[in-house]
Amino acid sequence: MIDLDNTDITGIHTPDPLRYAFKRKGGAHSGGGAVPIPASDTQMRLNQALSFSTPSAGARCLYVHVPFCRVRCTYCNFFQYASSKKMIDEYFEALVIELERKAAQPWTQAAPFHAVYIGGGTPTDLSAEQLEQLGKLIHQYFPLTPDCELTLEGRINRFGADKFESALEGGFNRFSFGIQSFDTKVRRAAKRLDDGDAAMRRIQDLVAYNSAPIVIDLLFGLPHQTLDVWQRDLDGYRESGAHGVDLYQLIDMQGLPMQQMVEVGKLPAPADTPTKATMYEMGVNYMAQHHQRRLSCNHWAKDNRERSIYNSLAKTTAEVLPLGAGAGGNVGGLQMMQMRDMAQYIDSVKAGQYPVAMLMQGTGNKALTNGIRAAFDRGVLAREALNRNAGWDCYSAAMPLFEKWQTNGLVKVSQDYLSLTLAGEFWNVKLAQNLINTVSELDKQRQAA
Ligand SMILES: C[S@@+](CC[C@H](N)C(=O)[O-])C[C@H]1O[C@@H](n2cnc3c(N)ncnc32)[C@H](O)[C@@H]1O
Ligand code: SF4
């Protein structure tokens, strides 16, 4: 039985579900279950997993984390360390050791990787030489598919021609820049380092190389970002010529510098959820009006150059081999988080250990939870794929919930597909999590019966 009176699961019946279906959006990701492995066993278990030369059932990705930024942006929870040349050099040295060691494992060599993502933090704070070396080492040591996507994430600040050309020389073939807003007032309040015109010019310059897809992130809901400013940010995306864009709503978590600044009156409050819903609607309509190709609920491409392979794979059953302090991944059914503390990370790597802070055995049906998450991210869930992953007809079992969501304006349901409405797209993470929980409950009831 599904609790169809629980509005946190079904949403509220309202004439305006986009803005008011739920009280609050959930976190950025909906998760599945996992059981921690005792610290005394982590090295042995990870070593075991990497000793098998079993090709992955699905695709494989490599994720490399670079936890430095020159300045912490007020809204960001990813900040770990302030960039300093000395620290970055020490880190890079340890990263190369970890890279060589993990690349040599039988598991790594057993099948090619489809996508590589260098994320952060701000990987573009690495020097030109380090960027080139990192790209070349990955090509040299890892088996890669011929069309492997290698993304370098970062920002335009101090990312000059030398760094871009070195990164291209190293084999990076996709670049993702956090722009957030082209508006100088919004940027300054968020402690972004360059003004809006400089950000625009730099993206235009990088696009003009015509060497690799350049994609940008825009945030909506930042302090000072009125609806007019947001409209100009959307125009800015097209004016920049970027090959693709992610539109992310601001998640205002506890403890961010922004929150403290709002509390003491130094910043106006960020947008509330109904306003962010309006901004999302503006974004979706804008992209449709300008014939941008939709890749997911939050991501659009101008043309076929942008493929966004890593983002779509990492959300499904792809295995992700993590490298670097604070990186997360999953290999052979094990989920892992690497040490975040820089000194601990470097010591661990130099002592010949895997720098893993937390290792967990995935429980439950990962293909099912990841499949649901990926489907909601794309905006459509197929009966056939859901039932195949579940191993039973859970589409039919969940139908009362789907019908309730349809009554509440969140989805359109047919015999074979559940497609999200605009409101459903805005609430997609919440809906995915609710379905994951519901399916798990229904499965328990089915097995008990
Ligand atoms: C962790 S950053 C790394 C990229 C780069 N350092 C930059 O300055 O954007 C990647 C993306 O996370 C997103 N992000 C950061 N803080 C966020 C928040 N509070 N809510 C939503 N998205 C956020 C931003 O859009 C950003 O582009
Ligand atoms: S948005 Fe990027 S540059 Fe700013 S603090 Fe977060 S990770 Fe660092």
Side-chain angles (χ1 to χ4, degrees):
M1 288 298 103
I2 306 171
D3 182 2
L4 295 175
D5 293 325
N6 183 343
T7 54
D8 202 40
I9 299 174
T10 62
I12 298 158
H13 189 61
T14 151
D16 190 353
L18 170 66
R19 276 159 275 261
Y20 301 109
F22 295 97
K23 289 207 180 70
R24 242 188 103 81
K25 209 158 173 168
H29 296 288
S30 42
V35 176
I37 290 169
S40 53
D41 293 348
T42 53
Q43 295 294 321
M44 181 267 291
R45 289 289 303 273
L46 190 51
N47 204 20
Q48 234 172 25
L50 291 173
S51 301
F52 286 114
S53 50
T54 335
S56 311
R60 291 177 160 205
C61 301
L62 180 65
Y63 177 77
V64 184
H65 195 66
V66 181
F68 300 100
C69 306
R70 289 193 46 235
V71 174
R72 179 176 186 175
C73 308
T74 58
Y75 55 81
C76 186
N77 204 32
F78 298 90
F79 178 86
Q80 282 174 270
Y81 290 97
S83 304
S84 86
K85 186 176 174 331
K86 183 168 173 289
M87 211 180 195
I88 292 181
D89 289 351
E90 282 171 13
Y91 179 66
F92 192 75
E93 197 188 313
L95 188 62
V96 170
I97 298 174
E98 196 200 357
L99 185 146
E100 289 175 350
R101 184 172 304 134
K102 280 196 173 149
Q105 301 308 310
W107 179 88
T108 312
Q109 294 300 325
F113 287 72
H114 298 75
V116 176
Y117 197 94
I118 318 293
T122 309
T124 47
D125 279 356
L126 294 176
S127 69
E129 296 71 32
Q130 286 164 339
L131 288 173
E132 183 172 337
Q133 192 188 345
L134 182 58
K136 286 188 167 164
L137 286 176
I138 290 169
H139 277 93
Q140 185 182 340
Y141 289 128
F142 284 83
L144 305 177
T145 58
D147 66 342
C148 184
E149 176 188 270
L150 285 97
T151 303
L152 179 68
E153 182 180 61
R155 50 184 184 183
I156 51 109
N157 182 260
R158 297 201 186 170
F159 190 69
D162 56 335
K163 285 200 184 182
F164 186 52
E165 285 162 19
S166 299
L168 289 170
E169 193 58 38
F172 289 103
N173 56 20
R174 180 173 180 270
F175 295 82
S176 172
F177 294 97
I179 291 295
Q180 326 309 356
S181 172
F182 286 105
D183 185 90
T184 297
K185 186 170 175 188
V186 172
R187 293 178 64 84
R188 291 209 173 127
K191 291 226 166 80
R192 294 299 287 180
L193 282 168
D194 298 276
D195 68 19
D197 289 342
M200 174 64 76
R201 278 196 307 276
R202 191 72 197 114
I203 295 296
Q204 287 172 336
D205 287 350
L206 294 169
V207 170
Y209 272 81
N210 208 9
S211 301
I214 307 292
V215 302
I216 63 171
D217 290 346
L218 293 177
L219 271 180
F220 53 92
L222 288 163
H224 294 301
Q225 196 182 28
T226 60
L227 297 186
D228 287 344
V229 169
W230 177 233
Q231 183 64 48
R232 287 199 295 277
D233 282 333
L234 293 168
D235 285 332
Y237 155 60
R238 283 181 56 249
E239 194 184 330
S240 75
H243 300 94
V245 64
D246 273 296
L247 304 184
Y248 291 130
Q249 77 158 304
L250 175 74
I251 300 170
D252 43 345
M253 284 168 278
Q254 294 288 324
L256 291 176
M258 186 181 80
Q259 229 182 21
Q260 287 148 20
M261 290 164 81
V262 171
E263 270 162 29
V264 297
K266 280 194 183 158
L267 270 184
D272 58 13
T273 298
T275 308
K276 285 191 281 195
T278 301
M279 296 170 109
Y280 180 71
E281 181 177 30
M282 285 167 68
V284 171
N285 290 342
Y286 185 91
M287 297 300 159
Q289 185 193 342
H290 294 287
H291 300 279
Q292 302 296 298
R293 189 164 56 93
R294 193 149 193 194
L295 300 179
S296 74
C297 285
N298 299 92
H299 193 162
W300 287 262
K302 182 174 80 167
D303 51 30
N304 288 339
R305 201 151 196 186
E306 160 62 336
R307 298 179 301 157
S308 191
I309 307 247
Y310 181 85
N311 286 330
S312 49
L313 289 182
K315 281 176 191 150
T316 62
T317 44
E319 291 183 90
V320 179
L321 182 68
L323 290 177
N330 69 93
V331 170
L334 296 175
Q335 298 173 25
M336 68 205 82
M337 215 40 230
Q338 305 230 100
M339 293 165 174
R340 280 170 69 91
D341 182 85
M342 188 59 57
Q344 269 184 16
Y345 168 80
I346 293 176
D347 287 351
S348 168
V349 169
K350 291 199 167 163
Q353 305 253 306
Y354 291 118
V356 59
M358 206 167 37
L359 193 67
M360 288 165 293
Q361 178 73 56
T363 57
N365 183 340
K366 200 148 187 287
L368 178 63
T369 49
N370 284 351
I372 292 175
R373 209 183 294 165
F376 278 73
D377 184 59
R378 267 196 322 274
V380 59
L381 175 77
R383 166 200 278 270
E384 190 272 321
L386 179 74
N387 288 353
R388 181 167 23 85
N389 286 336
W392 59 287
D393 186 9
C394 71
Y395 191 89
S396 300
M399 190 52 84
L401 176 62
F402 295 163
E403 284 171 350
K404 188 83 177 183
W405 279 348
Q406 180 164 260
T407 310
N408 289 346
L410 295 163
V411 302
K412 289 259 182 299
V413 62
S414 71
Q415 207 191 327
D416 292 322
Y417 294 98
L418 179 86
S419 2
L420 304 187
T421 60
L422 174 73
E425 286 165 1
F426 180 68
W427 296 104
N428 80 78
V429 176
K430 180 105 185 153
L431 295 181
Q433 189 59 56
N434 289 355
L435 182 60
I436 288 168
N437 297 344
T438 300
V439 165
S440 146
E441 262 317 300
L442 287 170
D443 195 27
K444 275 187 213 145
Q445 291 168 13
R446 186 180 70 98
Q447 296 197 28

